[in-house]
Amino acid sequence: MKVTLSALDTHESSFTPLVVIELAQDVKEETKEWLKNRIISRKKDGGAQLLFRPLLNKYEKETLENQNLYLVGASRIRLLLGAEAVGLVKECSDNTMRAFMYGTRHNFKGFDDDNDDFLTMAERQFIIKHELESLRARDEKMIPGYPQAKLYPGKSLLRRLLTSGIVIQVFPLHDNEALKKLEDTWYTRFTLKYQPIDSIRGYFGETIALYFGFLEYFTFALVPVAVLGLPYYLFVWENYDKYVVFASFNLIWSTVILEVWKRGCASMTYRWGTLVMKRQFEEPRPGYHGVLGINAVTGREEPLYPSYKRQLRIYLVSLPFVCLCLYFSLFVMMIYFDMETWALDLHENSGSEWTSILLYVPSIIYAIVIEVMNRLYRCAAEFLTSWENHRLESAYQNHLILKVLVFNFLNCFASLFYIAFVLRDMKLLRQGTFDDYLELFLQFGYVSLFSCVYPLAAAFAVLNNLTEVNSDALKMCRVFKRPFSEPSASIGVWQLAFETMSVISVVTNCALIGMSPQVNALFPESKADLILIVVAVEHALLALKFILAFAIPDKPRHIQMKLARLEFESLEALKQQQMKHVAENLKEDWREGGKEEAP
Amino acid sequence: MKVTLSALDTHESSFTPLVVIELAQDVKEETKEWLKNRIISRKKDGGAQLLFRPLLNKYEKETLENQNLYLVGASRIRLLLGAEAVGLVKECSDNTMRAFMYGTRHNFKGFDDDNDDFLTMAERQFIIKHELESLRARDEKMIPGYPQAKLYPGKSLLRRLLTSGIVIQVFPLHDNEALKKLEDTWYTRFTLKYQPIDSIRGYFGETIALYFGFLEYFTFALVPVAVLGLPYYLFVWENYDKYVVFASFNLIWSTVILEVWKRGCASMTYRWGTLVMKRQFEEPRPGYHGVLGINAVTGREEPLYPSYKRQLRIYLVSLPFVCLCLYFSLFVMMIYFDMETWALDLHENSGSEWTSILLYVPSIIYAIVIEVMNRLYRCAAEFLTSWENHRLESAYQNHLILKVLVFNFLNCFASLFYIAFVLRDMKLLRQGTFDDYLELFLQFGYVSLFSCVYPLAAAFAVLNNLTEVNSDALKMCRVFKRPFSEPSASIGVWQLAFETMSVISVVTNCALIGMSPQVNALFPESKADLILIVVAVEHALLALKFILAFAIPDKPRHIQMKLARLEFESLEALKQQQMKHVAENLKEDWREGGKEEAP
């Protein structure tokens, strides 16, 4: 059943371009010719068997600034074979989700030999990117024309071309017609409608669609907190009972919305096929390096890197480094508070105009230092995570996010914690910018940690997010370069981050309530009794929270059933396959036996 | 490749008996004949195709008390087909663990057509039990001779025979020779050796072997705590620093030993095949009832029961019932404390001999009430769990254990907590009975919760367990009826119970340290400061504990790799199977097409 492509496929002169490769201005002709040959030559000759042509013909060339843009596309059959290679999962006519195979293509819903709509544009571009990335060196020792760009068998060509600056960038093309259609249903309207998540997924891929899905879900989830917060703000409700109601609501709310999102996310990614897609069996991410060997799971040849070495790098280098940075960040914060106290003292003692300007200086210096530290830290985190050499893109992303997150969390909230719990200055706390999930994460932090003190936090978050949806959509469609689709089954480490935050929020809310003057007034004699009661309530709430998270299944039951069905079918198929092998061996033995006896 | 058994197989007059069926004294001949026929008749005629004969021949009959014991066995080929049916997993020649199939039997390690050792005795008995349990009613409306014992198509015959008292019990036979061999290596020796866990598993099955494995592991794990506890007891170290050292050690110890056990358990059950065995795809447990339908996962006909009904029963009936019992139990405890105070007062006021005897009365009454409550509660828990109608035996067991556990935990520790934290009487706490895991669980509780106060707890637990291993082994081999083997991949809900206990222990240890007079002496002025510091340390320790549990993988890496390999192979096999189907359909179409054109 192997499908072979005719040589003609790679020489089509007009094709739908999907991906752009930008070469450096001074790239040698020899190198260009070699790269083109590698991209268009057949799979069995070590090529990618894609379609390739310069963006402009010879006559138009001189009019453009950059002359080295090349378009990459693929024939229909090539894309379908690529979809099989990357393990895309699609819905079959019997409503099950199965890994797409070219041989069984007619079993899949929406497949039509005359129709190109079966694969979304994001999927087609992901396939091209995957094929370009898996172009590997064979007998070349270097990139032709660049003796310093060394190659060894199995090295990803694209990776070497990018690191030696021969290829400047590879990016997916926009499709203006489809983009216009997407924009029309997405953000160029002012009526309140749900976002077209499936269309976003079709155009930008699962990761982006999940972000917008989460943004929308989170905004809706904030509404009850915002509504509940309004009377607290308007009527300045500050008595104990009402605080406890708000804090308890906050606790159950933060636990339930995260569990409900997990279930909704599983339903959505099941429908998209990414929940079933086994990305851990894919080839390693381009940056992954190691000694060539056989992957024990898939049996494919790929670079291998021992896991204990990665663990050593994480625990002996990255972890201490992150801890050191956190310590340093706290240290800077303390200096800031000292400076502020000093400036305030100075102003109070000799209150001139100059000293009143001086009052702003510590904040300005602190903001600048934080921003510089953030940037330096992010570079260091990227370097370290890359150096940890993760096999999967998702593992790389998770480790990177975790590092950045912890640092940002500390920088954003440490000063608030300090104000709330050390300075105990609630007025200062009530005065009060942030990319993507990080922004939502910090927002979630403000709402869940401090909304008792500042009940309008959720309302402002809702207003912010309603505009955020549109501005982020505009950025995706019009401002940013189109990103490659990255199939994903969940929001990854962000789920963990939000869950951790909701645990921290229980602690914080309890502490804030315990510190409020109203509550303190209830225990005028013994502060110790008050603290004990607050701690007991906090432990009970934490226990309730863990039981709640444990009792709500992470996947809806119908998804669980479908996943179990797939597992059962796979295991049964494996049994059948083994039976077939045995039957074939027996047949073989009979034949061999027959031959020996024959003469 | 279907293997058919000759009719002769079921009429062997001498066979190795494996299982005994005891019928009631007055069972009608008609019923006996029918049951025998159903057991020995062929699979395709709805029988179990097993071997069956009375324990004694006619002449010997009168000498025995019970005349209705029947032996069940099976031919070699029948057992191997049964092993395939129950999904036993065995090691192949290429060191992978695969579901056993009769067709591929020669691929498995240790398989020999002339040797019976391939299946352990526990496995052979498990297969017989499974075959007897899956004997289901066909067109019978009732059990012949017993019109009141109604049957409907699909009803398990054995289940109905047991509930209507026709079959009194079904139990596996001992093999005296094998038992003697096992005993020799197990407990009839006084040298300290590891237990022969693999032999125990061969004779009694995985569940029992895991219990003894855990008992041994836990005893070894207690040694460091016991050793560390000795100087605390001997030198009456009661200062703050040393307490903190002991409590911190306790915390890390309890977290690490549970994580290490999970990993060791996964390695062991992988080797035994139960980690890979997919018990969720098995037929439901005998007690499970519902409307006959098609299982959406396996596609087999079996009783179906909607999951939401089970959830309703759990959350609306069982949960409130358990909570009520817990409340009642606490209520009884408070009465006990009141009675004790009253008796003490009476004795102090009028100290006669009679009142000194009266001092023991509350304890005696409380002990009796607790024991009665325990027994009543256990019956209720068994009834409720059975009524919850769980599909899998493991789910039934887990829900039952959870109910019993919570109640026992409260009964055992509530009074200790009350003494420690309300009465704050450390001397009373230091005076200080426990089946199987429950005993170990309560032991773990005593050691991890209170070993700061009573440092000898671990030492006594070690001494107790060293004798416990031998006495439990003796009980299993000589005292108890041999149990059927129950393949299991882990210690189930007990793992969760131990983990929960270790979280509780962090809280308790911190509280005990905070209450010690030595620590209180450090903060003579502000009790509030002391409590805040203790709570802060406790939160940090809990966070450390969760990070530790998260960072240590539950399965060793080589087991993870092997499981991933199996999943990959299964999914690949499923793809191949689909391809084959398509190819066959195409062939079929061609043939059909040919036929149409031919005439």
Side-chain angles (χ1 to χ4, degrees), chain B residues 180-196:
Chain B
K180 188 85 204 56
K181 244 167 92 179
L182 176 66
E183 286 180 304
D184 282 345
T185 53
W186 196 1
Y187 66 93
T188 51
R189 52 176 169 88
F190 291 94
T191 49
L192 269 176
K193 273 193 294 186
Y194 289 111
Q195 294 176 89

Side-chain angles (χ1 to χ4, degrees), chain A residues 215-264:
Chain A
L215 174 58
E216 184 174 77
Y217 171 80
F218 182 60
T219 306
F220 281 118
L222 278 170
V223 170
V225 192
V227 170
L228 198 71
L230 278 178
Y232 280 84
Y233 177 77
L234 292 176
F235 309 122
V236 201
W237 282 350
E238 288 202 329
N239 61 343
Y240 178 60
D241 305 352
K242 297 203 178 67
Y243 254 146
V244 170
V245 171
F246 199 44
S248 312
F249 175 80
N250 228 328
L251 157 90
I252 294 175
W253 169 82
S254 69
T255 310
V256 170
I257 65 154
L258 293 177
E259 292 296 316
V260 171
W261 165 256
K262 250 193 268 185
R263 292 166 65 90

Side-chain angles (χ1 to χ4, degrees), chain B residues 270-309:
Chain B
Y270 177 80
R271 189 154 44 83
W272 293 342
T274 48
L275 187 69
V276 180
M277 191 172 173
K278 294 289 164 180
R279 299 216 60 189
Q280 72 263 38
F281 302 142
E282 271 180 28
E283 293 192 31
R285 62 185 292 268
Y288 183 72
H289 57 86
V291 185
L292 264 196
I294 303 294
N295 181 310
V297 173
T298 61
R300 296 187 197 120
E301 199 184 41
E302 62 172 44
L304 298 181
Y305 186 76
S307 140
Y308 78 91
K309 283 196 189 170

Side-chain angles (χ1 to χ4, degrees), chain A residues 181-193:
Chain A
K181 246 165 91 179
L182 176 67
E183 284 179 306
D184 283 344
T185 54
W186 195 3
Y187 65 93
T188 52
R189 44 162 178 99
F190 290 94
T191 49
L192 269 177
K193 274 192 295 183

Side-chain angles (χ1 to χ4, degrees), chain A residues 1 84 87 92 98-105 107-108 276 278 280-281 295-300 305-308 310-311 315 424 496 507 527-529 531-532 535 538-539 542 546 550-552 557 560-562 564-580 582-583 585-586, chain B residues 1 84 87 92 98-105 107-108 276 278 280-281 295-300 305-308 310-311 315 424 496 507 527-529 531-532 535 538-539 542 546 550-552 557 560-562 564-580 582-583 585-586:
Chain A
M1 285 302 289
E84 179 176 335
C92 283
R98 293 181 190 283
F100 176 78
M101 280 189 296
Y102 185 76
T104 59
R105 63 192 179 281
N107 287 353
F108 289 86
V276 180
K278 295 288 166 181
Q280 72 264 37
F281 302 143
N295 181 310
V297 173
T298 60
R300 297 190 196 118
Y305 186 76
S307 137
Y308 78 90
R310 185 178 310 121
Q311 299 290 331
Y315 287 110
R424 303 202 176 183
L496 179 72
V507 182
K527 216 178 159 193
D529 281 358
I531 299 175
L532 283 177
V535 169
E538 182 230 4
H539 279 71
L542 280 178
F546 281 105
F550 185 78
I552 303 177
R557 195 167 159 78
Q560 285 176 37
M561 298 290 284
K562 282 170 177 164
R565 169 87 198 155
L566 182 72
E567 193 187 354
F568 176 73
E569 278 184 353
S570 309
L571 287 168
E572 290 295 303
L574 185 63
K575 283 193 196 171
Q576 294 304 320
Q577 195 186 49
Q578 283 168 268
M579 287 291 281
K580 230 184 74 193
V582 168
N585 287 342
L586 280 175
Chain B
M1 284 303 286
E84 180 177 335
C92 282
R98 292 181 190 283
F100 177 78
M101 281 187 295
Y102 186 76
T104 59
R105 62 194 180 280
N107 287 354
F108 289 86
V276 180
K278 294 289 164 180
Q280 72 263 38
F281 302 142
N295 181 310
V297 173
T298 61
R300 296 187 197 120
Y305 186 76
S307 140
Y308 78 91
R310 186 178 308 120
Q311 300 289 332
Y315 287 110
R424 302 201 177 185
L496 179 72
V507 183
K527 217 181 159 189
D529 281 359
I531 299 175
L532 284 178
V535 170
E538 183 230 358
H539 279 72
L542 280 177
F546 281 105
F550 185 79
I552 303 176
R557 194 166 163 78
Q560 284 177 36
M561 298 290 285
K562 283 170 175 164
R565 168 89 199 152
L566 182 72
E567 193 186 353
F568 176 74
E569 278 183 354
S570 309
L571 288 168
E572 289 296 304
L574 184 64
K575 283 192 196 171
Q576 293 304 320
Q577 196 186 49
Q578 283 169 267
M579 286 292 282
K580 230 185 74 194
V582 169
N585 287 341
L586 279 176

Side-chain angles (χ1 to χ4, degrees), chain A residues 489-526:
Chain A
S490 70
I491 59 171
V493 76
W494 288 108
Q495 184 78 38
L496 179 72
F498 275 79
E499 280 167 11
T500 309
M501 179 71 96
S502 84
V503 171
I504 296 174
S505 81
V506 175
V507 182
T508 322
N509 276 311
C510 287
L512 284 174
I513 291 176
M515 279 164 49
S516 71
Q518 296 81 14
V519 178
N520 275 279
L522 288 178
F523 296 85
E525 284 155 36
S526 165

Side-chain angles (χ1 to χ4, degrees), chain B residues 446-467:
Chain B
Y446 280 108
V447 172
S448 60
L449 296 178
F450 295 109
S451 64
C452 274
V453 181
Y454 187 59
L456 278 192
F460 280 121
V462 171
L463 288 177
N464 175 66
N465 289 357
L466 287 177
T467 54

